[in-house]
Amino acid sequence: MCISIFFASIVLQFSVQGSHASPLLERAVGQSTPTPANNTPFNEVPFWPYQTFVTEPDFHPPVLQIFKQPTATGGLFVFAPLPFIPVYPNRSVGGLLMDQAGNPIWHTPNEAVGQLEVQQLNGKSVLSYWTGGIGGDNIDAHGFGTITILDTAYRQITGVVLNDGTFKAGDSMQNKPEPSYVDIHESHITPHGTMIITAYNSTPYDLTSVAGPKEGWLLDSLIYEIDLATNKTLFRWSSVEHIDQLPLNGSHQLNADGSIIGGNNATHPWDYFLTNAVRPLDDGYILSVRHYWSAVALDAKGDVKWNLNGEDGGDFHPLDQGTAPSTFSWQHYVIPINGTPGENLTIDMFNNNNNGRDNGTAPSTGLTLHLDLRNRTVRTASRLQDPNDTIYADSQGTFQRLPRDHKFVAYGQIAKLKEYDQNDTVVLDAKFAQDNQESSYRSYLVSNWSATPYYPPKIAATTVEGKGKVKEDVVLSMSWNGATPDVYDGWVVYEGKGNGITAVDKKRGELVPRTGFESNVTLAEGTRTVVAAAAKGGRVLRESAELRV
């Protein structure tokens, strides 16, 4: 198997011995907690290398390490790396589109981004992502933010804001008002021009039935379906309003002694439920309920049709725990694949099998289950796991279907991306950080994103040591953040000796091939003004602003 590591300007280097890449990285300085599973303090774990660019100095995306077979699907990685630790040096945060040579294609502004995804809206490809605040004690990184939706020119065409005046939760659960309460976990666009989102509300509740305080607090898990044209709420569902159908004693969000976690006040509510995925199903919805270890089907009114529990089956017969186990726990991304209403259903999920208090015994897998809805039985169709790489992902994760019956599994908290072929063999293995250093809540592999930015390319000049009699050379760097490889393949560089680019200069344009996110060319001696134009087959698409050098 061949290994390829591609990078622009890299701050920290890889050395390669045999078939494994080992980063030679500087140590961190600072905090020593929390610690990974092997009890090595985070500030003693080597940091992953990142890339830097002259034209976009604030972009520091990770280096992508890839092992890839020729039968892999190809396409762009869509993910949003987020460092776990505040001492991570000089790393930017934000959403990324990246090709399989490790080149960034598009980088969001340097801000926390979640749930970056290519979706379809009114028959056209769009890019959606969440931004906002994340945090809170006793909760699994819920957010309070907004959804932005961009077209293929990266213009914002719409978005989602949620604030109906009922929310008590705020910034990091501190009861501070927020402009919008859209949670990070779900933002799915439906074929009807609506978006399904999640939200969370700190809510007073009598918790004596689970040995908690009578004047207790829990986190109400909310689902909204929003019309994207009007931002009008078409459907709302509350877990608290359905406790009679999904009782509190079904929650696994407990301390080691079986007591509930938090629940004493509004800023430390018991996060008993946690909906982390929602999809339309028949005339209702299917929910992934992480803290119940359940996939729950709702009807059009929001009543529970059935509860598939990963421990004991719930409304289904007990699950197989033998050679092809259908049990699951702490799961993410439950997605209905196909089926006949009332008869059968196939679902995929990322089966974490781990959380922060229960980990290291059962590996995380991509799990496909066939449900017989009449007889209430469950059969395992496949359980994806790399036999050479056992992964325990406490949180987050994605399981995506690809063409040719390939599957893409992203491991959430563990910064690994794998593609499996029709025989469940790994044909692509990518990594963008050390384990438990950096995560991406969801990650995707897409081939349907073609984009031409509405804004112009950027150029910047730097001086380097010259060759021969020339003491210094001027190197021009060029990039067009967001332009996909199918849109442009090179640059036309116009150099002028005076204070502007003349018609004569335009006739002497130099063709420079595209080389990743940022391309470079050494300017002719005496150049005073320069313009670079992104081009396809030599045909100019968009010019940069003039630059004096």
Side-chain angles (χ1 to χ4, degrees):
M1 182 180 293
C2 66
I3 176 172
S4 299
I5 305 176
F6 299 84
F7 47 91
S9 174
I10 297 191
V11 174
L12 306 171
Q13 300 288 326
F14 276 119
S15 73
V16 181
Q17 299 175 346
S19 62
H20 293 84
S22 175
L24 302 176
L25 306 170
E26 66 185 23
R27 290 173 178 266
V29 178
Q31 301 180 15
S32 60
T33 56
T35 59
N38 64 4
N39 292 320
T40 302
F42 268 128
N43 69 346
E44 294 183 17
V45 176
F47 286 117
W48 197 258
Y50 58 89
Q51 305 178 52
T52 63
F53 302 100
V54 177
T55 53
E56 296 284 4
D58 293 332
F59 292 179
H60 300 141
V63 170
L64 196 63
Q65 174 187 316
I66 305 177
F67 298 81
K68 182 180 177 182
Q69 298 283 15
T71 53
T73 298
L76 302 179
F77 297 113
V78 181
F79 61 120
L82 185 65
F84 280 135
I85 41 181
V87 296
Y88 204 109
N90 300 323
R91 274 282 289 111
S92 60
V93 295
L96 273 174
L97 304 182
M98 186 173 278
D99 68 21
Q100 293 188 15
N103 299 304
I105 300 300
W106 179 71
H107 195 306
T108 62
N110 194 5
E111 60 181 337
V113 168
Q115 188 36 14
L116 177 68
E117 185 176 2
V118 174
Q119 302 196 67
Q120 295 290 308
L121 176 60
N122 301 325
K124 297 180 179 180
S125 293
V126 296
L127 197 60
S128 64
Y129 62 93
W130 175 96
T131 53
I134 304 173
D137 295 334
N138 305 322
I139 60 174
D140 278 0
H142 299 305
F144 313 95
T146 61
I147 303 294
T148 299
I149 300 177
L150 308 178
D151 64 14
T152 54
Y154 301 98
R155 290 188 179 92
Q156 181 171 347
I157 53 176
T158 188
V160 175
V161 174
L162 179 65
N163 193 345
D164 59 9
T166 64
F167 290 89
K168 297 182 177 67
D171 181 23
S172 299
M173 304 300 293
Q174 298 304 313
N175 266 339
K176 293 168 59 179
E178 295 286 341
S180 178
Y181 290 87
V182 180
D183 174 55
I184 193 173
H185 284 97
E186 188 60 274
S187 51
H188 175 68
I189 298 176
T190 75
H192 310 295
T194 64
M195 176 174 280
I196 301 172
I197 60 172
T198 51
Y200 293 87
N201 193 14
S202 193
T203 303
Y205 201 85
D206 182 351
L207 299 176
T208 54
S209 66
V210 287
K214 182 175 180 59
E215 296 182 356
W217 290 81
L218 50 68
L219 209 57
D220 189 7
S221 184
L222 301 167
I223 298 167
Y224 290 81
E225 185 167 359
I226 307 290
D227 179 57
L228 289 173
T230 63
N231 208 59
K232 179 181 179 182
T233 298
L234 305 179
F235 177 85
R236 176 188 176 276
W237 187 87
S238 156
S239 64
V240 168
E241 293 171 7
H242 293 83
I243 285 178
D244 60 326
Q245 298 175 26
L246 297 165
L248 295 178
N249 61 11
S251 179
H252 293 272
Q253 185 70 345
L254 306 170
N255 290 303
D257 62 3
S259 61
I260 67 172
I261 300 174
N264 295 310
N265 52 56
T267 58
H268 297 82
W270 180 31
D271 185 10
Y272 82 104
F273 201 78
L274 182 47
T275 303
N276 58 31
V278 188
R279 288 295 185 275
L281 179 63
D282 303 334
D283 60 346
Y285 306 86
I286 185 169
L287 285 53
S288 171
V289 185
R290 172 171 162 89
H291 292 167
Y292 274 51
W293 303 359
S294 286
V296 175
L298 307 178
D299 65 18
K301 295 181 179 180
D303 291 326
V304 175
K305 294 169 63 176
W306 48 258
N307 173 15
L308 171 62
N309 184 267
E311 182 178 31
D312 59 17
D315 294 329
F316 291 76
H317 290 293
L319 302 180
D320 184 359
Q321 301 187 33
T323 57
S326 48
T327 54
F328 58 91
S329 62
W330 307 112
Q331 79 290 338
H332 282 76
Y333 207 68
V334 173
I335 304 296
I337 300 303
N338 54 53
T340 303
E343 296 286 338
N344 55 70
L345 178 66
T346 299
I347 61 173
D348 289 342
M349 71 176 71
F350 181 76
N351 178 24
N352 291 83
N353 262 339
N354 295 265
N355 83 336
R357 295 170 299 282
D358 174 18
N359 55 44
T361 56
S364 301
T365 63
L367 180 62
T368 300
L369 300 176
H370 288 324
L371 281 57
D372 183 333
L373 300 177
R374 280 189 175 271
N375 299 308
R376 296 299 171 98
T377 59
V378 179
R379 175 176 61 85
T380 300
S382 69
R383 199 176 187 98
L384 294 175
Q385 179 184 345
D386 185 347
N388 300 312
D389 187 15
T390 302
I391 298 174
Y392 306 97
D394 291 357
S395 68
Q396 309 165 74
T398 320
F399 178 10
Q400 176 193 0
R401 294 284 179 117
L402 299 174
R404 299 180 295 149
D405 199 28
H406 286 213
K407 295 103 177 174
F408 179 70
V409 180
Y411 290 82
Q413 181 173 325
I414 305 299
K416 293 181 178 180
L417 314 169
K418 295 179 186 285
E419 180 183 345
Y420 296 81
D421 69 10
Q422 68 275 14
N423 299 314
D424 296 347
T425 300
V426 176
V427 293
L428 180 148
D429 193 346
K431 186 175 181 180
F432 59 89
Q434 300 285 45
D435 291 355
N436 296 304
Q437 259 190 20
E438 191 159 348
S439 70
S440 178
Y441 168 58
R442 289 182 183 170
S443 304
Y444 304 92
L445 183 60
V446 304
S447 58
N448 62 338
W449 184 250
S450 175
T452 304
Y454 73 88
Y455 42 81
K458 289 186 177 182
I459 59 175
T462 53
T463 56
V464 298
E465 184 177 351
K467 298 178 181 179
K469 296 181 180 180
V470 179
K471 292 184 178 181
E472 286 186 336
D473 283 333
V474 178
V475 174
L476 182 72
S477 299
M478 304 162 284
S479 70
W480 199 11
N481 183 34
T484 48
D486 62 300
V487 168
Y488 85 105
D489 57 13
W491 298 89
V492 179
V493 178
Y494 306 111
E495 301 176 55
K497 303 295 184 179
N499 292 326
I501 299 296
T502 67
V504 174
D505 296 330
K506 283 290 186 82
K507 294 179 180 180
R508 295 197 295 250
E510 178 184 358
L511 294 176
V512 178
R514 176 177 181 166
T515 54
F517 181 82
E518 189 170 79
S519 305
N520 300 287
V521 64
T522 300
L523 298 179
E525 187 178 1
T527 297
R528 294 292 177 264
T529 306
V530 64
V531 168
K536 175 75 169 180
R539 182 178 64 87
V540 168
L541 302 173
R542 188 73 184 268
E543 292 185 358
S544 71
E546 286 188 358
L547 176 68
R548 303 288 190 270
V549 295

